[in-house]
Amino acid sequence: MGLVIDFYSENYAQSINDEVDILSKLVHAIPNKEFELYYQPIVNSIDKTLHGYEALIRWPQKDGSMIPPDKFISIAEKKQLYQRHYSVGCESSRFRYYSIKKNDNLNFQVHINISTLDLYDDDLYNQLFDMVANKHLEPSSMILEVTESALMSDVDAAYLMLSKLSELGFYISIDDFGTGYSSLSLLRILAFNQIKIDQSFIRNMAVGNSDYAIVASTIYLAHSLGCNVVAEGVEDEHLFAELQELGCDYVQGYYISKPQDIDSIINWSLKLIEREKKCQLSLSMTAQYKSCTTLLPYR
Ligand code: G
Ligand code: MN
């Protein structure tokens, strides 16, 4: 074995402390089901009608703060805790899913983030298979988001798993597209239904700069491959308009809405639908749909 040189710094020591701290909390949080699912809407870029929601895990703390998922998921995965944690997520998303679905007015797709471990183990597949077989879940109403880096750990195994999930009827989306190392070769190997362009490209895009060129070509590429495209991290009207112009199919971000808990997202969606109905009415009366949709209540 070669010599391992470890650089010590205060930040490094702090991150170790954080990790130990988070791990000790996680061990209790999992059996206590301390996680909550928040939902962030994804809308059509043409008319801002509802396409679906991304279910995002949140870990609320006693002091009212939240530990963000990027702080605890990698730790849970490293310690092999994630699957148990995911099952909690999956169970609760199923429950939430039905509580929304019971409301006939709401028709949408739910996006679920699947972890690296889920890709290389049959646990998630078996759960989803049973839910579909028992008619507890309509697979075409669920989009499974997978990150490029998760896929790259073992492309052959990921290919097998995604093919099985796709055969069951689930849609597959590549999350954070453009941030992994082999985005293009992945598109050659695996069949996806959707590409989600990472927010780092969206945030700084302006006509003529390199982020703009990357976003425009990714939209073109996705459409040429028969995929639809979601832009993540859209924070203002100006970005929304640019993406609309570029033909991006769907948009997600604070401009539309922050992630919300189940009760607020249901209220938000019902208000949106009420507003859409009024717009439809106004459309048939005045044929001025465009001016009306700009009034939709997104915040
Ligand atoms: O990795 P993934 O793309 O699944 O994560 C989405 C994350 O991005 C969520 O944690 C969500 O809260 C965050 N997010 C969503 N929309 C925006 C946005 O408009 N701006 C910023 N800064 N973050 C966002
Ligand atoms: Mn995601």
Side-chain angles (χ1 to χ4, degrees):
M1 217 178 157
L3 180 67
V4 178
I5 301 174
D6 216 347
F7 290 98
Y8 179 85
S9 74
E10 254 177 51
N11 279 350
Y12 177 69
Q14 185 57 47
S15 73
I16 296 278
N17 276 341
D18 289 349
E19 191 166 324
V20 171
D21 190 37
I22 286 180
L23 187 60
S24 66
K25 284 189 177 146
L26 264 180
V27 171
H28 303 289
I30 291 163
N32 291 344
K33 302 191 176 179
E34 288 177 18
F35 306 98
E36 270 185 42
L37 280 172
Y38 272 48
Y39 296 84
Q40 185 174 35
I42 300 173
V43 299
N44 235 295
S45 74
I46 294 179
D47 53 8
K48 295 182 183 168
T49 49
L50 193 61
H51 159 68
Y53 308 92
E54 179 170 1
L56 293 158
I57 197 116
R58 293 288 182 260
W59 186 9
Q61 302 299 296
K62 288 198 181 85
D63 63 3
S65 65
M66 295 262 188
I67 299 182
D70 56 350
K71 280 256 174 192
F72 69 87
I73 286 177
S74 59
I75 297 173
E77 285 199 334
K78 214 166 19 176
K79 299 291 173 193
Q80 306 275 315
L81 291 170
Y82 193 64
Q83 264 147 323
R84 280 187 285 150
H85 151 240
Y86 183 80
S87 304
V88 175
C90 197
E91 268 308 300
S92 100
S93 65
R94 181 166 57 151
F95 168 72
R96 307 296 194 195
Y97 173 73
Y98 278 100
S99 53
I100 303 180
K101 199 79 180 167
K102 263 196 273 174
N103 192 318
D104 291 340
N105 282 331
L106 297 177
N107 184 23
F108 55 84
Q109 290 186 299
V110 179
H111 292 233
I112 300 286
N113 291 286
I114 70 173
S115 83
T116 313
L117 292 182
D118 291 325
L119 268 181
Y120 304 112
D121 181 294
D122 275 335
D123 246 30
L124 171 72
Y125 175 78
N126 291 337
Q127 277 191 47
L128 291 174
F129 182 91
D130 287 347
M131 282 158 78
V132 173
N134 296 325
K135 300 208 180 322
H136 289 145
L137 176 69
E138 172 52 54
S140 63
S141 64
M142 192 177 266
I143 300 187
L144 303 173
E145 295 191 12
V146 199
T147 61
E148 289 174 82
S149 42
L151 289 165
M152 290 317 289
S153 313
D154 182 345
V155 175
D156 292 340
Y159 174 80
L160 273 180
M161 180 54 78
L162 292 183
S163 309
K164 286 196 320 183
L165 289 165
S166 176
E167 226 162 81
L168 270 184
F170 291 98
Y171 288 114
I172 313 288
S173 175
I174 317 188
D175 203 3
D176 306 337
F177 185 81
T179 55
Y181 290 110
S182 302
S183 313
L184 294 180
S185 59
L186 269 180
L187 290 176
R188 198 169 51 192
I189 306 167
L190 299 166
F192 296 99
N193 306 95
Q194 182 177 83
I195 288 177
K196 290 187 87 176
I197 306 177
D198 188 66
Q199 31 186 305
S200 58
F201 298 105
I202 306 293
R203 207 172 298 135
N204 302 314
M205 68 180 258
V207 180
N209 73 8
S210 52
D211 284 334
Y212 185 90
I214 292 169
V215 171
S217 1
T218 306
I219 293 170
Y220 177 80
L221 176 70
H223 288 163
S224 313
L225 291 167
C227 297
N228 60 59
V229 189
V230 181
E232 297 182 300
V234 178
E235 294 193 351
D236 60 52
E237 192 173 358
H238 177 68
L239 277 177
F240 183 90
E242 273 180 7
L243 288 157
Q244 191 181 43
E245 180 102 339
L246 287 173
C248 181
D249 305 283
Y250 304 111
V251 163
Q252 177 180 0
Y254 295 173
Y255 170 58
I256 304 299
S257 159
K258 288 196 166 173
Q260 303 179 49
D261 67 25
I262 187 72
D263 294 329
S264 356
I265 200 70
I266 290 177
N267 283 337
W268 182 93
S269 308
L270 291 174
K271 271 193 215 146
L272 178 77
I273 283 159
E274 264 317 294
R275 198 72 191 213
E276 274 168 18
K277 274 194 207 145
K278 282 186 194 150
C279 284
Q280 294 292 352
L281 193 63
S282 134
L283 173 67
S284 57
M285 283 161 59
T286 65
Q288 294 272 321
Y289 186 52
K290 223 176 165 189
S291 61
C292 187
T293 48
T294 56
L295 299 174
L296 293 175
Y298 284 117
R299 286 163 198 273

mmCIF file of all heavy atoms in Angstrom, residues 258-297:
data_model
loop_
_atom_site.group_PDB
_atom_site.id
_atom_site.type_symbol
_atom_site.label_atom_id
_atom_site.label_comp_id
_atom_site.label_asym_id
_atom_site.label_seq_id
_atom_site.Cartn_x
_atom_site.Cartn_y
_atom_site.Cartn_z
ATOM 1 N N LYS A 258 -40.975 28.264 -4.384
ATOM 2 C CA LYS A 258 -40.013 27.485 -3.591
ATOM 3 C C LYS A 258 -40.663 26.138 -3.260
ATOM 4 O O LYS A 258 -41.878 26.006 -3.367
ATOM 5 C CB LYS A 258 -39.707 28.235 -2.296
ATOM 6 C CG LYS A 258 -38.865 29.458 -2.560
ATOM 7 C CD LYS A 258 -38.229 29.985 -1.292
ATOM 8 C CE LYS A 258 -37.150 30.982 -1.699
ATOM 9 N NZ LYS A 258 -36.559 31.705 -0.605
ATOM 10 N N PRO A 259 -39.870 25.150 -2.824
ATOM 11 C CA PRO A 259 -40.489 23.902 -2.359
ATOM 12 C C PRO A 259 -41.405 24.204 -1.163
ATOM 13 O O PRO A 259 -41.064 25.033 -0.330
ATOM 14 C CB PRO A 259 -39.291 23.046 -1.933
ATOM 15 C CG PRO A 259 -38.108 23.634 -2.640
ATOM 16 C CD PRO A 259 -38.390 25.096 -2.775
ATOM 17 N N GLN A 260 -42.560 23.535 -1.106
ATOM 18 C CA GLN A 260 -43.527 23.811 -0.034
ATOM 19 C C GLN A 260 -43.993 22.501 0.587
ATOM 20 O O GLN A 260 -43.975 21.459 -0.075
ATOM 21 C CB GLN A 260 -44.763 24.507 -0.608
ATOM 22 C CG GLN A 260 -44.474 25.798 -1.350
ATOM 23 C CD GLN A 260 -45.748 26.420 -1.904
ATOM 24 O OE1 GLN A 260 -46.740 26.562 -1.205
ATOM 25 N NE2 GLN A 260 -45.733 26.794 -3.175
ATOM 26 N N ASP A 261 -44.475 22.583 1.821
ATOM 27 C CA ASP A 261 -44.976 21.344 2.429
ATOM 28 C C ASP A 261 -46.315 20.965 1.795
ATOM 29 O O ASP A 261 -46.888 21.735 1.018
ATOM 30 C CB ASP A 261 -45.046 21.461 3.962
ATOM 31 C CG ASP A 261 -46.094 22.453 4.423
ATOM 32 O OD1 ASP A 261 -47.070 22.709 3.684
ATOM 33 O OD2 ASP A 261 -45.945 22.995 5.537
ATOM 34 N N ILE A 262 -46.796 19.796 2.167
ATOM 35 C CA ILE A 262 -47.939 19.225 1.438
ATOM 36 C C ILE A 262 -49.182 20.128 1.473
ATOM 37 O O ILE A 262 -49.847 20.328 0.457
ATOM 38 C CB ILE A 262 -48.252 17.793 1.955
ATOM 39 C CG1 ILE A 262 -49.315 17.110 1.100
ATOM 40 C CG2 ILE A 262 -48.680 17.769 3.404
ATOM 41 C CD1 ILE A 262 -48.828 16.711 -0.226
ATOM 42 N N ASP A 263 -49.481 20.701 2.657
ATOM 43 C CA ASP A 263 -50.697 21.509 2.743
ATOM 44 C C ASP A 263 -50.584 22.767 1.892
ATOM 45 O O ASP A 263 -51.505 23.124 1.164
ATOM 46 C CB ASP A 263 -51.000 21.885 4.196
ATOM 47 C CG ASP A 263 -51.329 20.651 5.002
ATOM 48 O OD1 ASP A 263 -51.885 19.702 4.406
ATOM 49 O OD2 ASP A 263 -51.011 20.621 6.206
ATOM 50 N N SER A 264 -49.414 23.425 1.987
ATOM 51 C CA SER A 264 -49.299 24.650 1.191
ATOM 52 C C SER A 264 -49.261 24.354 -0.296
ATOM 53 O O SER A 264 -49.789 25.133 -1.083
ATOM 54 C CB SER A 264 -48.078 25.488 1.547
ATOM 55 O OG SER A 264 -47.376 24.982 2.592
ATOM 56 N N ILE A 265 -48.676 23.224 -0.680
ATOM 57 C CA ILE A 265 -48.586 22.979 -2.120
ATOM 58 C C ILE A 265 -49.980 22.654 -2.689
ATOM 59 O O ILE A 265 -50.306 23.034 -3.819
ATOM 60 C CB ILE A 265 -47.548 21.875 -2.469
ATOM 61 C CG1 ILE A 265 -47.108 21.981 -3.934
ATOM 62 C CG2 ILE A 265 -48.059 20.465 -2.254
ATOM 63 C CD1 ILE A 265 -46.280 23.148 -4.263
ATOM 64 N N ILE A 266 -50.802 21.998 -1.880
ATOM 65 C CA ILE A 266 -52.163 21.720 -2.370
ATOM 66 C C ILE A 266 -52.924 23.037 -2.547
ATOM 67 O O ILE A 266 -53.545 23.276 -3.572
ATOM 68 C CB ILE A 266 -52.913 20.745 -1.434
ATOM 69 C CG1 ILE A 266 -52.281 19.348 -1.553
ATOM 70 C CG2 ILE A 266 -54.401 20.670 -1.777
ATOM 71 C CD1 ILE A 266 -52.859 18.312 -0.636
ATOM 72 N N ASN A 267 -52.821 23.918 -1.538
ATOM 73 C CA ASN A 267 -53.490 25.224 -1.656
ATOM 74 C C ASN A 267 -52.978 26.006 -2.849
ATOM 75 O O ASN A 267 -53.747 26.593 -3.609
ATOM 76 C CB ASN A 267 -53.253 26.067 -0.399
ATOM 77 C CG ASN A 267 -54.135 25.581 0.709
ATOM 78 O OD1 ASN A 267 -55.165 24.958 0.444
ATOM 79 N ND2 ASN A 267 -53.730 25.830 1.946
ATOM 80 N N TRP A 268 -51.683 26.023 -2.983
ATOM 81 C CA TRP A 268 -51.040 26.756 -4.090
ATOM 82 C C TRP A 268 -51.577 26.232 -5.425
ATOM 83 O O TRP A 268 -51.943 27.002 -6.311
ATOM 84 C CB TRP A 268 -49.523 26.562 -3.993
ATOM 85 C CG TRP A 268 -48.720 27.285 -5.019
ATOM 86 C CD1 TRP A 268 -48.174 28.519 -4.902
ATOM 87 C CD2 TRP A 268 -48.362 26.816 -6.330
ATOM 88 N NE1 TRP A 268 -47.492 28.848 -6.047
ATOM 89 C CE2 TRP A 268 -47.596 27.827 -6.935
ATOM 90 C CE3 TRP A 268 -48.604 25.648 -7.046
ATOM 91 C CZ2 TRP A 268 -47.065 27.706 -8.229
ATOM 92 C CZ3 TRP A 268 -48.092 25.523 -8.335
ATOM 93 C CH2 TRP A 268 -47.330 26.540 -8.906
ATOM 94 N N SER A 269 -51.646 24.888 -5.538
ATOM 95 C CA SER A 269 -52.037 24.294 -6.815
ATOM 96 C C SER A 269 -53.514 24.551 -7.114
ATOM 97 O O SER A 269 -53.890 24.801 -8.258
ATOM 98 C CB SER A 269 -51.796 22.785 -6.791
ATOM 99 O OG SER A 269 -50.483 22.530 -6.383
ATOM 100 N N LEU A 270 -54.333 24.490 -6.050
ATOM 101 C CA LEU A 270 -55.760 24.730 -6.282
ATOM 102 C C LEU A 270 -56.012 26.166 -6.740
ATOM 103 O O LEU A 270 -56.815 26.413 -7.623
ATOM 104 C CB LEU A 270 -56.573 24.398 -5.029
ATOM 105 C CG LEU A 270 -56.617 22.897 -4.705
ATOM 106 C CD1 LEU A 270 -57.314 22.657 -3.367
ATOM 107 C CD2 LEU A 270 -57.295 22.100 -5.811
ATOM 108 N N LYS A 271 -55.265 27.089 -6.125
ATOM 109 C CA LYS A 271 -55.395 28.497 -6.545
ATOM 110 C C LYS A 271 -54.977 28.640 -7.996
ATOM 111 O O LYS A 271 -55.611 29.346 -8.774
ATOM 112 C CB LYS A 271 -54.492 29.389 -5.686
ATOM 113 C CG LYS A 271 -55.163 29.892 -4.450
ATOM 114 C CD LYS A 271 -54.310 31.014 -3.851
ATOM 115 C CE LYS A 271 -54.397 30.961 -2.344
ATOM 116 N NZ LYS A 271 -53.192 31.340 -1.661
ATOM 117 N N LEU A 272 -53.896 27.948 -8.347
ATOM 118 C CA LEU A 272 -53.393 28.023 -9.723
ATOM 119 C C LEU A 272 -54.455 27.509 -10.697
ATOM 120 O O LEU A 272 -54.718 28.112 -11.736
ATOM 121 C CB LEU A 272 -52.116 27.173 -9.843
ATOM 122 C CG LEU A 272 -51.484 27.100 -11.218
ATOM 123 C CD1 LEU A 272 -50.732 28.377 -11.518
ATOM 124 C CD2 LEU A 272 -50.519 25.924 -11.298
ATOM 125 N N ILE A 273 -55.083 26.394 -10.297
ATOM 126 C CA ILE A 273 -56.070 25.799 -11.196
ATOM 127 C C ILE A 273 -57.298 26.698 -11.349
ATOM 128 O O ILE A 273 -57.829 26.868 -12.442
ATOM 129 C CB ILE A 273 -56.423 24.374 -10.707
ATOM 130 C CG1 ILE A 273 -55.259 23.470 -11.116
ATOM 131 C CG2 ILE A 273 -57.732 23.866 -11.281
ATOM 132 C CD1 ILE A 273 -55.163 22.214 -10.343
ATOM 133 N N GLU A 274 -57.713 27.297 -10.213
ATOM 134 C CA GLU A 274 -58.819 28.266 -10.275
ATOM 135 C C GLU A 274 -58.505 29.367 -11.275
ATOM 136 O O GLU A 274 -59.306 29.763 -12.102
ATOM 137 C CB GLU A 274 -59.019 28.903 -8.896
ATOM 138 C CG GLU A 274 -60.100 28.240 -8.065
ATOM 139 C CD GLU A 274 -61.350 27.918 -8.863
ATOM 140 O OE1 GLU A 274 -62.009 28.879 -9.313
ATOM 141 O OE2 GLU A 274 -61.661 26.721 -9.066
ATOM 142 N N ARG A 275 -57.254 29.838 -11.146
ATOM 143 C CA ARG A 275 -56.813 30.938 -11.996
ATOM 144 C C ARG A 275 -56.798 30.497 -13.471
ATOM 145 O O ARG A 275 -57.174 31.245 -14.356
ATOM 146 C CB ARG A 275 -55.405 31.323 -11.545
ATOM 147 C CG ARG A 275 -54.977 32.672 -11.998
ATOM 148 C CD ARG A 275 -55.718 33.731 -11.226
ATOM 149 N NE ARG A 275 -55.506 35.027 -11.818
ATOM 150 C CZ ARG A 275 -55.452 36.153 -11.139
ATOM 151 N NH1 ARG A 275 -55.615 36.142 -9.840
ATOM 152 N NH2 ARG A 275 -55.273 37.281 -11.758
ATOM 153 N N GLU A 276 -56.319 29.226 -13.677
ATOM 154 C CA GLU A 276 -56.274 28.721 -15.055
ATOM 155 C C GLU A 276 -57.674 28.650 -15.657
ATOM 156 O O GLU A 276 -57.875 28.990 -16.814
ATOM 157 C CB GLU A 276 -55.656 27.319 -15.098
ATOM 158 C CG GLU A 276 -54.148 27.357 -15.192
ATOM 159 C CD GLU A 276 -53.513 25.998 -14.939
ATOM 160 O OE1 GLU A 276 -54.214 24.969 -15.024
ATOM 161 O OE2 GLU A 276 -52.309 25.965 -14.633
ATOM 162 N N LYS A 277 -58.633 28.211 -14.812
ATOM 163 C CA LYS A 277 -60.020 28.114 -15.303
ATOM 164 C C LYS A 277 -60.509 29.484 -15.750
ATOM 165 O O LYS A 277 -61.130 29.638 -16.779
ATOM 166 C CB LYS A 277 -60.927 27.572 -14.202
ATOM 167 C CG LYS A 277 -60.956 26.072 -14.156
ATOM 168 C CD LYS A 277 -62.118 25.634 -13.279
ATOM 169 C CE LYS A 277 -61.828 24.284 -12.663
ATOM 170 N NZ LYS A 277 -62.374 24.154 -11.317
ATOM 171 N N LYS A 278 -60.209 30.487 -14.899
ATOM 172 C CA LYS A 278 -60.631 31.846 -15.247
ATOM 173 C C LYS A 278 -59.966 32.283 -16.536
ATOM 174 O O LYS A 278 -60.563 32.944 -17.374
ATOM 175 C CB LYS A 278 -60.288 32.825 -14.126
ATOM 176 C CG LYS A 278 -61.263 32.733 -12.988
ATOM 177 C CD LYS A 278 -60.989 33.805 -11.954
ATOM 178 C CE LYS A 278 -61.751 33.470 -10.680
ATOM 179 N NZ LYS A 278 -61.083 33.964 -9.490
ATOM 180 N N CYS A 279 -58.706 31.882 -16.688
ATOM 181 C CA CYS A 279 -57.976 32.255 -17.907
ATOM 182 C C CYS A 279 -58.612 31.607 -19.126
ATOM 183 O O CYS A 279 -58.741 32.224 -20.171
ATOM 184 C CB CYS A 279 -56.521 31.826 -17.814
ATOM 185 S SG CYS A 279 -55.577 32.900 -16.769
ATOM 186 N N GLN A 280 -58.991 30.323 -18.955
ATOM 187 C CA GLN A 280 -59.618 29.609 -20.083
ATOM 188 C C GLN A 280 -60.882 30.340 -20.507
ATOM 189 O O GLN A 280 -61.160 30.529 -21.679
ATOM 190 C CB GLN A 280 -59.984 28.163 -19.682
ATOM 191 C CG GLN A 280 -58.795 27.274 -19.395
ATOM 192 C CD GLN A 280 -57.983 26.970 -20.642
ATOM 193 O OE1 GLN A 280 -58.387 27.314 -21.755
ATOM 194 N NE2 GLN A 280 -56.825 26.349 -20.468
ATOM 195 N N LEU A 281 -61.640 30.749 -19.481
ATOM 196 C CA LEU A 281 -62.881 31.442 -19.747
ATOM 197 C C LEU A 281 -62.592 32.748 -20.485
ATOM 198 O O LEU A 281 -63.195 33.063 -21.509
ATOM 199 C CB LEU A 281 -63.568 31.743 -18.400
ATOM 200 C CG LEU A 281 -65.003 32.186 -18.460
ATOM 201 C CD1 LEU A 281 -65.852 31.066 -19.057
ATOM 202 C CD2 LEU A 281 -65.497 32.508 -17.045
ATOM 203 N N SER A 282 -61.590 33.415 -19.936
ATOM 204 C CA SER A 282 -61.241 34.692 -20.555
ATOM 205 C C SER A 282 -60.704 34.475 -21.963
ATOM 206 O O SER A 282 -60.939 35.272 -22.858
ATOM 207 C CB SER A 282 -60.239 35.408 -19.657
ATOM 208 O OG SER A 282 -59.193 35.915 -20.383
ATOM 209 N N LEU A 283 -60.010 33.318 -22.150
ATOM 210 C CA LEU A 283 -59.472 33.004 -23.480
ATOM 211 C C LEU A 283 -60.601 32.878 -24.490
ATOM 212 O O LEU A 283 -60.569 33.453 -25.572
ATOM 213 C CB LEU A 283 -58.688 31.684 -23.408
ATOM 214 C CG LEU A 283 -58.177 31.099 -24.710
ATOM 215 C CD1 LEU A 283 -57.094 31.989 -25.296
ATOM 216 C CD2 LEU A 283 -57.638 29.698 -24.495
ATOM 217 N N SER A 284 -61.619 32.088 -24.072
ATOM 218 C CA SER A 284 -62.702 31.900 -25.035
ATOM 219 C C SER A 284 -63.458 33.217 -25.267
ATOM 220 O O SER A 284 -64.012 33.449 -26.318
ATOM 221 C CB SER A 284 -63.646 30.798 -24.558
ATOM 222 O OG SER A 284 -64.123 31.155 -23.301
ATOM 223 N N MET A 285 -63.463 34.063 -24.242
ATOM 224 C CA MET A 285 -64.200 35.310 -24.408
ATOM 225 C C MET A 285 -63.400 36.369 -25.173
ATOM 226 O O MET A 285 -63.918 37.102 -25.976
ATOM 227 C CB MET A 285 -64.611 35.871 -23.045
ATOM 228 C CG MET A 285 -65.808 35.124 -22.475
ATOM 229 S SD MET A 285 -65.965 35.375 -20.706
ATOM 230 C CE MET A 285 -66.121 37.129 -20.599
ATOM 231 N N THR A 286 -62.112 36.420 -24.868
ATOM 232 C CA THR A 286 -61.360 37.554 -25.422
ATOM 233 C C THR A 286 -60.185 37.160 -26.325
ATOM 234 O O THR A 286 -59.583 38.022 -26.948
ATOM 235 C CB THR A 286 -60.759 38.415 -24.288
ATOM 236 O OG1 THR A 286 -59.807 37.595 -23.616
ATOM 237 C CG2 THR A 286 -61.792 38.903 -23.320
ATOM 238 N N ALA A 287 -59.853 35.864 -26.340
ATOM 239 C CA ALA A 287 -58.682 35.398 -27.097
ATOM 240 C C ALA A 287 -57.413 36.147 -26.692
ATOM 241 O O ALA A 287 -56.504 36.351 -27.478
ATOM 242 C CB ALA A 287 -58.920 35.503 -28.605
ATOM 243 N N GLN A 288 -57.360 36.529 -25.393
ATOM 244 C CA GLN A 288 -56.193 37.256 -24.885
ATOM 245 C C GLN A 288 -55.490 36.426 -23.804
ATOM 246 O O GLN A 288 -55.127 36.928 -22.752
ATOM 247 C CB GLN A 288 -56.635 38.597 -24.273
ATOM 248 C CG GLN A 288 -57.196 39.556 -25.269
ATOM 249 C CD GLN A 288 -56.104 40.401 -25.896
ATOM 250 O OE1 GLN A 288 -55.187 40.803 -25.215
ATOM 251 N NE2 GLN A 288 -56.194 40.650 -27.184
ATOM 252 N N TYR A 289 -55.295 35.133 -24.090
ATOM 253 C CA TYR A 289 -54.775 34.221 -23.073
ATOM 254 C C TYR A 289 -53.431 34.672 -22.520
ATOM 255 O O TYR A 289 -53.178 34.638 -21.337
ATOM 256 C CB TYR A 289 -54.640 32.849 -23.717
ATOM 257 C CG TYR A 289 -54.252 31.761 -22.756
ATOM 258 C CD1 TYR A 289 -54.964 31.555 -21.579
ATOM 259 C CD2 TYR A 289 -53.181 30.919 -23.044
ATOM 260 C CE1 TYR A 289 -54.621 30.553 -20.717
ATOM 261 C CE2 TYR A 289 -52.836 29.915 -22.173
ATOM 262 C CZ TYR A 289 -53.552 29.737 -21.010
ATOM 263 O OH TYR A 289 -53.207 28.740 -20.163
ATOM 264 N N LYS A 290 -52.585 35.154 -23.404
ATOM 265 C CA LYS A 290 -51.217 35.471 -23.010
ATOM 266 C C LYS A 290 -51.152 36.519 -21.903
ATOM 267 O O LYS A 290 -50.464 36.356 -20.905
ATOM 268 C CB LYS A 290 -50.420 35.932 -24.223
ATOM 269 C CG LYS A 290 -49.052 35.325 -24.243
ATOM 270 C CD LYS A 290 -48.306 35.692 -25.462
ATOM 271 C CE LYS A 290 -46.834 35.354 -25.233
ATOM 272 N NZ LYS A 290 -46.006 35.860 -26.266
ATOM 273 N N SER A 291 -51.918 37.566 -22.071
ATOM 274 C CA SER A 291 -51.870 38.618 -21.060
ATOM 275 C C SER A 291 -52.416 38.109 -19.729
ATOM 276 O O SER A 291 -51.984 38.527 -18.662
ATOM 277 C CB SER A 291 -52.668 39.825 -21.531
ATOM 278 O OG SER A 291 -54.006 39.440 -21.722
ATOM 279 N N CYS A 292 -53.343 37.147 -19.801
ATOM 280 C CA CYS A 292 -53.942 36.636 -18.571
ATOM 281 C C CYS A 292 -52.973 35.752 -17.794
ATOM 282 O O CYS A 292 -52.880 35.843 -16.578
ATOM 283 C CB CYS A 292 -55.198 35.852 -18.932
ATOM 284 S SG CYS A 292 -56.128 35.330 -17.526
ATOM 285 N N THR A 293 -52.217 34.881 -18.492
ATOM 286 C CA THR A 293 -51.341 33.956 -17.771
ATOM 287 C C THR A 293 -50.246 34.690 -17.006
ATOM 288 O O THR A 293 -49.721 34.184 -16.038
ATOM 289 C CB THR A 293 -50.659 32.945 -18.717
ATOM 290 O OG1 THR A 293 -50.113 33.665 -19.816
ATOM 291 C CG2 THR A 293 -51.617 31.903 -19.200
ATOM 292 N N THR A 294 -49.923 35.892 -17.415
ATOM 293 C CA THR A 294 -48.872 36.598 -16.689
ATOM 294 C C THR A 294 -49.352 37.000 -15.289
ATOM 295 O O THR A 294 -48.569 37.382 -14.449
ATOM 296 C CB THR A 294 -48.441 37.875 -17.444
ATOM 297 O OG1 THR A 294 -49.607 38.652 -17.649
ATOM 298 C CG2 THR A 294 -47.800 37.557 -18.771
ATOM 299 N N LEU A 295 -50.648 36.868 -15.041
ATOM 300 C CA LEU A 295 -51.162 37.250 -13.721
ATOM 301 C C LEU A 295 -51.229 36.082 -12.747
ATOM 302 O O LEU A 295 -51.639 36.242 -11.621
ATOM 303 C CB LEU A 295 -52.582 37.828 -13.886
ATOM 304 C CG LEU A 295 -52.686 39.083 -14.741
ATOM 305 C CD1 LEU A 295 -54.130 39.454 -14.947
ATOM 306 C CD2 LEU A 295 -51.948 40.235 -14.062
ATOM 307 N N LEU A 296 -50.825 34.870 -13.211
ATOM 308 C CA LEU A 296 -50.976 33.705 -12.333
ATOM 309 C C LEU A 296 -50.222 33.884 -11.021
ATOM 310 O O LEU A 296 -49.106 34.398 -10.999
ATOM 311 C CB LEU A 296 -50.466 32.452 -13.046
ATOM 312 C CG LEU A 296 -51.296 32.013 -14.253
ATOM 313 C CD1 LEU A 296 -50.618 30.845 -14.954
ATOM 314 C CD2 LEU A 296 -52.685 31.606 -13.840
ATOM 315 N N PRO A 297 -50.826 33.454 -9.893
ATOM 316 C CA PRO A 297 -50.202 33.683 -8.587
ATOM 317 C C PRO A 297 -49.135 32.624 -8.274
ATOM 318 O O PRO A 297 -49.453 31.534 -7.850
ATOM 319 C CB PRO A 297 -51.375 33.509 -7.619
ATOM 320 C CG PRO A 297 -52.307 32.567 -8.336
ATOM 321 C CD PRO A 297 -52.100 32.734 -9.789
#
